[in-house]
Structure formats: C-alpha cells, structure tokens
Amino acid sequence: MGTIIDRFRLAALVAAGAFALSPFNALAADPTRQEDEGWTMTVAPYLWASGIEGESGLFGFPPQDVDVSFSDVLQHLKFGFMGVSEARNGRFTVSTDIVYARLNADINTPHGILASKIDATVSTFMGTALAGYSLYYEDGTNFDVMAGARLWSVDNRFEFHGGAIDGTSVNDGDTWVDPVIGAKFKANVGNGIYLAGWGLVGGFGVGSKSMWDVMGGAGYQFSEKTSMFVGYRAVHDKYSHDGFVNKVTQQGPMLGFTYKFSMAQ
C-alpha cells in the first residue's frame, strides 16, 4: 500500500510544474508610449519551463520531498494554457493571468492486489488579477507598485482498475486565494531592447502562509505592436490545509510573445 501511495504523490507532484503565470507588462515593452495614449491592451501567450522542489502531501499522509524536472511535467501534460492580458492607460494598469494544465499518468501497481492500474488525473488552475500605478513613467521606463489577488486550485483524481478496489476513485486537492502586493520595472535601453523584472509577496496567512515571486530578463521590440521576452523566474508557495500540503519552489526560464493594440473607439 505504501508503494501505491508513493505513486499517488508522484503523479500529483508532477502537476505542480505546470503552474506558471506572468501577470505584468514586463512581457510588453513600448518605448514610444505617451501619457495621453488612452487605453491599450496587450495579450501574451508564454511558456515557463519550470522544475519544482520542496514538499507535497495528499490524503493526510506525511509530506514527501519533491524534485521534478520540466521534462517530467511535459511527459505527462495532456492540455495546458498560459496567457496574460494587460490594459494600460498612462500610469494606470489592470492585468490578469490565467494558467490551466491537465496531466494524466497511468500507474501500474507492483502486485495488483488492491488494483492492477491507477489512472491519475491532475488539474491545476492559477489566476491572478492586479491593479497597478506607475510611480515613475518617462522615456520608455516605468516603476510600478501593484496589488491584487492570486487564486490557486488543484484537483487530484485517482481511478482504480483491477484488484480488490476495481472501479473506485478518490479525490484530493484544495482551492485558496492569496492577497498579493509588489513592484515591477521596465527600462528601454535602446535599439528595441528593454530590461524588466518584478518582485511579489503574498499569502500573509490568509491563503498561503507565505508566497513570493521574482523575475528578471530582457526583451526585444519587433514593432510598435509586437515584442518577445526571455527571462528567469522563481516562485515559492507555502500552503497546507486539512491534509493537503503544497510547500514548493518552482524556477526556470520563460519565453513570451506579445501583441499590443489600442482600445480607442
């Protein structure tokens, strides 16, 4: 039974690496922007190739050490979506990010007494909404403060086939919300190149006990409407409730492409 539970944990832990988000305009530089440009919208699909380390636990069992590479996550990924949008009007911004991933793993049990095979399905969702204001906003450079919330949701489902518990299924997971505050910057360095980064903290015991999120990188503006961004990002979350434990750090390179358009009538 212990071996089966260990495999439950492995299938669930692989899902954590699919969590990713980038809810800020660091993915969308515009060195020619003006204070009176009106509302503009930026949309950006992206990839965060993150691995994960830490502790995770299901069904009230003691948390287990986690060390999952991005290639492990990719092997089990069945569907995923990562996308960010931002509306900006001068110094004011409103941004959202949605990340959804579904992973499947077929687990063969060693003896087949309780079950000969386990189908594990792990669904993860992370959504972020932030409002921001630029304390500095000149010449293609801005420094913004922001506040908002981050919604996390994890659902682990295990279906048993064969053996004594054939046809049964179990679920475990949780949903929680973290308040988030932080700052971000973006600086045009010339020739279409810009630098960007952010730092966030959150949770404060409301959802997670603690959470932080840091990123830094560089981008290139192909045109007034399109750009790309490459960087490196690390996110830590410490959450536990009613036997579900998520105390992990995710980190890895990220790549995003952006498209900007005016919302003026």
Side-chain angles (χ1 to χ4, degrees), residues 157-223:
R157 180 178 177 83
F158 303 95
E159 298 180 355
F160 300 90
H161 301 280
I165 56 175
D166 179 47
T168 62
S169 62
V170 293
N171 289 73
D172 192 23
D174 211 344
T175 299
W176 66 100
V177 177
D178 289 336
V180 176
I181 59 173
K184 70 176 184 290
F185 78 92
K186 183 166 78 261
N188 176 31
V189 297
N191 297 319
I193 300 173
Y194 63 95
L195 304 177
W198 67 70
L200 292 176
V201 293
F204 309 115
V206 177
S208 304
K209 183 176 180 180
S210 62
M211 183 278 296
W212 53 258
D213 183 342
V214 294
M215 188 284 295
Y220 181 77
Q221 194 82 22
F222 294 108
S223 68

Side-chain angles (χ1 to χ4, degrees), residues 20-43:
L21 77 162
S22 178
F24 321 122
N25 70 343
L27 289 181
D30 182 7
T32 63
R33 67 181 179 229
Q34 300 295 326
E35 291 276 359
D36 59 352
E37 66 183 353
W39 285 102
T40 59
M41 175 67 71
T42 300
V43 294

Side-chain angles (χ1 to χ4, degrees), residues 5-6 9-10 13 53-58 61-67 245 247-248:
I5 295 300
D6 290 341
R9 295 193 184 102
L10 174 61
L13 298 178
E53 295 180 82
E55 294 183 348
S56 184
L58 299 173
F61 288 93
Q64 301 295 302
D65 291 336
V66 184
D67 189 355
V245 178
K247 300 178 181 179
V248 296

